Amino acid sequence: MHMKNKTFIAKHGSPTPSLSKEASSQIPPFPRKLYIESYGCQMNFSDSEIVASIMAQQGFVFTDHYDNADLILINTCAIRDKAEQTIRNRLLVFNQQKIKQPDLIVGILGCMAERLKTQLLEEEKVVDLVAGPDAYRDLPRLISQVDQGHKAVNTFLSKEETYADIAPVRLHANGVTAFISIMRGCNNMCSFCIVPFTRGRERSRNPDSIVQEAKQLFETGYREITLLGQNVDSYSWCPSMTAATASPDHRKPSDVTSNFAQLLAMVAEIDPQLRVRFSTSHPKDMTDEVLYTMKAYPNICKHIHLPVQSGNSRILKLMNRTYDRAWYIERIVAIRHILGPSCAISSDMIAGFCSETEAEHADTLSLMDYVQYDFSFMFYYSERPGTLAARKYADDVPESVKKRRLSEIIAKQREHALMHNQKSIGQVHQVLIEKSSKKSEASFQGRTSQNKIVVFPKGNYQIGDYVAVQIVDCNAATLLGTVVS
Ligand code: SAH
Ligand code: SF4
Ligand code: F3S
C-alpha cells in the first residue's frame, strides 16, 4: 500500500473514486523518504540521529532534499525568540512545497514543539505532527495517526527516557567525529532559560551503553567523540538504576555512583587514539577530579566550555546561576593550576539581562580580560515566556543598548581569540583531520586538542589521520599550518 496516497485520501475526506484500494496499492515508489533538518544545540543534532534510527526501523530512507521527501521532520530550538522565528520562516518554505505536494507530512520535533505543543498546530497550518524530545519512540504511531487523516501530538516529558538502547544513525557523518548524549534534561533553573521546560528533569544514561557506543564508533573508524549534556558535571549513575528507573529519585542510599570524572576515564581508556571531548561544564559543579582526569589522559582534549553568562555577581544571582564572580574565578584558577595555560577555555555570555547597568556590563568585559577566553558564544538577552525571569523581572534594557553591549563583548572576544591564535604561530599541534577545507579542495581541515580549527595542504594524508601541524599564520577564527610529520 502506498501510504502517501492513503494519507491524501484520508485527509481530504471521501476517497477519490479513481483511486480504488487496488489502484493505490500499485503506486510506487516505496519506501517513503524522510528529510530531517536540525537546529539548536549539539544535543538536538544528536537527537536527530536517534530519530533517524527509529524511522529507519520503520522502513524510511533518507533524502538530503526536502523537495523529494514524503516526510519532513524539523528538530527545533526554543532558546531565543530568533531561533523560533527561523523555524517559522522555514515553515513558509515547506508550506509552498505542500501546496505542490499535498500528501507531504510535516512534523515539528524538539524544544519548540515541547514549548508550544498544540498551539503550533493552531498557528502553523502546514504542521501535521508535534513531538517533544522525550516522545521520539512514539513517532511511528504518530505518523500512522497522520496517515489516517488526523493531526498528531505527543509532548509528554519523561523522568526516565535516555534512548540508551537506540543505536543512532549518523547523519551527515564525516566518519571521524561523533556526539554521544550521556544525559538528558536539566535540573538547574537559570532564570533566563527555557531548557528545563523543554527538556524536563535531568537523567543520566547507563555508562556501559555509553562506553559500548564509543567503542563501536572507534571500531568503525571514528577518532573523536564528544560527550553531551546540559550540565555534564552532574552526570551520576548507580548500578541499581535500570533503563526504566534512570532518574535519581530511584537511588538507594547504599548505591555506589559513577560520576562524570569516572565516566570520562572509562571512555578515555577505550583507546589512546580515540579523542574525548565533552560539553557543557557548569561552573558550580565542575570538580577538580574532572580536571585531574583530563590531565591523566592525553586523549581527553584540553578544552573546557565553562559558560559564565555574566561577570557581575548581582546579575549572576538574578540569573540563578548559583555561583558568583569570585567562585567562577576560583574555577578558572583551578583549571590553570591543574592543566596549565595550554588548556583552552570557552564561554557563553548574555548581554543586557534584566536591570543590567553599564557598570555591571563592564564587569563582564573585565572578567573577559581576566580569563581571556579562546572563544565564546555571545547573545543578547531574549525573554522566554514562562521562565523565572519572564515572570519576575522586567526585560528593561532597551534593545539598542543590548545590541551595543553585545557588540562590545564580541569585539573583545575577537581580540582575545586573535591574540591566542597569534601566540600559537610557530607551535606544532597534533591535528585530527576531519574533512576537506570549505575554502579549498587542496587543503584539509581538522582541530587541535584545544578545539582550534586548523587548515593545511593535504599532502598524502587522509581524513581520520592524526598529523603534527606547524602553525604558520592565523586569523581570529582559523589557524593555517603545514604538516611536519
Ligand atoms: N547548559 C548550558 C547552556 C545551554 S543554552 C549552560 O548551562 O551553560 C546555551 C546558551 O544559550 C546559554 O549558555 C546562554 O548563554 C544562552 N541562552 C540561554 N537562554 C537565553 C536567553 N533567554 N537569551 C539569550 N541567551 C540565552
Ligand atoms: Fe539552561 Fe541553566 Fe540548564 Fe544550562 S544549566 S540548560 S543555562 S537551565
Ligand atoms: Fe535549543 Fe533545546 Fe538545545 S532550546 S539550545 S535545542 S536544548
Side-chain angles (χ1 to χ4, degrees), residues 35 63-70 72 94 97 100-101 104:
Y35 171 79
T63 168
D64 286 336
H65 306 281
Y66 72 82
D67 51 3
N68 67 17
D70 304 293
I72 295 177
F94 297 144
Q97 184 64 23
K100 285 187 242 161
Q101 186 192 340
L104 173 69

Side-chain angles (χ1 to χ4, degrees), residues 186 188 190 192-193 195-196 230 282 321:
C186 182
N188 296 320
C190 301
F192 52 79
C193 185
V195 172
Q230 292 299 350
H282 195 295
R321 287 291 286 183

Side-chain angles (χ1 to χ4, degrees), residues 39-41 44 76-79 111 194-195 198-199 230:
Y39 293 85
C41 62
N44 243 21
T76 61
C77 174
I79 201 83
C111 292
I194 196 75
V195 172
T198 61
R199 297 236 156 208
Q230 292 299 350

Side-chain angles (χ1 to χ4, degrees), residues 11 23 26 33 42 75 93 129 148 154 183 199 266 293 313 355 361 380 441 463:
K11 265 202 199 148
Q26 290 161 11
K33 291 204 196 91
Q42 293 166 336
N75 199 353
V93 175
L129 178 160
Q148 286 156 26
N154 184 345
M183 57 207 296
R199 297 236 156 208
M266 283 165 76
T293 307
S313 295
S355 77
H361 162 63
Y380 66 81
E441 261 304 305
I463 291 174

